[in-house]
């Protein structure tokens, strides 16, 4: 048994070039090293993943905004399909053209509402959760109140600590 056989080199060069699976063996036993019982973390030398993970460029949309956006996209898609069917029915001089035109007009109104819904939902989310920092933002007022409460709590804690440090045994005044 030569070195190439011990290391599991293919015996037939044609099979290796054709990409055929080659059984590899361990030096002391005839147990295949690659097969269905191979562990998941062991990858063949020619392994190339289907895709590579890349960090997201932007943060994910908040749930209510994403829901409104999906709804708007679906409504716009259906409206575009209605408009295309109305156009094709008009070219074919079908009786279905008039109902389809009415449907596409109604769909346009609903699609406009859907897009406005996304915009309004996004603005409300930003204002409630402090993304926009303008003087009228409710999030700014909430942060201001929390800071004020923390400041008062720290001042009260310092006051209690001073009372304990003034000589005596914790009395407020001397007898």
């Amino acid at each position: 048994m030569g070195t190439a056989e011990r290391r599991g080199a293919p015996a037939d060069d044609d099979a290796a070039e054709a990409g055929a699976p080659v059984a590899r063996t361990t030096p002391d036993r005839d147990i295949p090293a690659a097969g269905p019982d191979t562990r998941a973390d062991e990858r063949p030398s020619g392994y190339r993943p289907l895709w590579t993970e890349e960090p997201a460029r932007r943060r994910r949309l908040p749930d209510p905004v994403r829901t409104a956006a999906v709804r708007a996209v679906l409504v716009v898609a259906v409206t575009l399909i209605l408009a295309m069917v109305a156009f094709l029915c008009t070219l074919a001089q079908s009786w279905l053209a008039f109902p389809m035109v009415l449907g596409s007009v109604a769909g346009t109104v609903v699609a406009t509402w859907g897009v406005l819904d996304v915009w309004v939902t996004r603005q409300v989310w930003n204002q409630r959760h402090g993304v926009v920092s303008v003087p009228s933002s409710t999030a700014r007022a909430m942060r201001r109140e929390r800071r004020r409460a923390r400041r008062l709590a720290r001042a009260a804690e310092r006051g209690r600590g001073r009372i304990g440090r003034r000589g005596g045994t914790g009395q407020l005044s001397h007898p």
Side-chain angles (χ1 to χ4, degrees):
M1 178 184 234
T3 307
E5 291 173 320
R6 258 188 262 120
R7 291 194 177 154
D12 187 11
D13 291 336
D14 295 333
E17 289 175 6
V22 178
R24 298 174 187 241
T25 58
T26 57
D28 54 344
R29 294 184 222 115
D30 288 333
I31 301 172
D37 59 342
T38 304
R39 293 188 319 190
D41 57 347
E42 292 179 6
R43 295 190 173 117
S45 61
Y47 176 78
R48 201 176 98 223
L50 293 175
W51 65 85
T52 57
E53 295 287 333
E54 294 180 2
R57 292 184 182 158
R58 294 184 346 174
R59 288 189 332 219
R60 184 176 169 178
L61 285 174
D63 287 338
V65 179
R66 193 170 58 250
T67 303
V70 168
R71 186 172 44 239
V73 165
L74 290 175
V75 168
V76 168
V78 168
T79 302
L80 288 174
I81 290 171
L82 280 173
M84 181 59 73
V85 170
F87 176 72
L88 293 175
C89 286
T90 303
L91 289 180
Q93 296 179 350
S94 172
W95 63 272
L96 211 57
F98 183 67
M100 285 296 154
V101 167
L102 290 179
S104 60
V105 168
T108 303
V109 171
V110 174
T112 304
W113 169 82
V115 171
L116 285 174
D117 181 43
V118 172
W119 183 66
V120 169
T121 306
R122 185 171 168 268
Q123 295 298 325
V124 168
W125 176 269
N126 286 343
Q127 191 169 17
R128 284 186 183 164
H129 295 89
V131 179
V132 176
S133 183
V134 294
S136 62
S137 175
T138 57
R140 176 178 276 191
M142 289 169 51
R143 282 196 306 266
R144 192 177 298 131
E145 289 172 14
R146 283 195 300 261
R147 278 196 304 262
R148 186 178 299 131
R150 281 196 304 263
R151 205 175 301 127
L152 289 173
R154 281 195 306 264
E157 186 66 33
R158 278 195 307 263
R160 276 189 247 121
R162 286 186 193 133
I163 292 172
R165 278 182 285 169
R166 292 184 183 174
T169 58
Q171 299 173 359
L172 292 177
S173 60
H174 295 288

